Amino acid sequence: MKQVTVEVLQRDGNFALIKGDLKFDQLVVTTGILNLSNNTKVNIVTNPINTPDKMPKL
């Protein structure tokens, strides 16, 4: 794992268009980043949180 700064250009639901020093097919950590530093070993978990399609109205 290596820290790279990215910029979120656009969001659409659970998807985001990001810009940064990334190569094609690299993965991006989106949760738990406060516990990471360079060269930390991570386990890849796909879709760990079930999110609703629409947020409930308050």
Side-chain angles (χ1 to χ4, degrees):
M1 205 273 323
K2 179 180 117 180
Q3 182 177 356
V4 176
T5 301
V6 297
E7 177 183 358
V8 178
L9 301 176
Q10 182 179 347
R11 293 176 191 253
D12 183 11
N14 290 332
F15 298 96
L17 176 64
I18 59 174
K19 175 182 177 183
D21 187 22
L22 299 171
K23 295 179 179 140
F24 179 75
D25 212 24
Q26 282 185 309
L27 300 176
V28 176
V29 174
T30 58
T31 58
I33 59 175
L34 296 177
N35 299 321
L36 299 177
S37 60
N38 285 332
N39 300 317
T40 299
K41 292 187 179 190
V42 297
N43 292 322
I44 306 301
V45 178
T46 57
N47 198 18
I49 302 172
N50 293 328
T51 56
D53 292 332
K54 293 184 179 181
M55 294 301 292
K57 293 184 179 181
L58 298 177

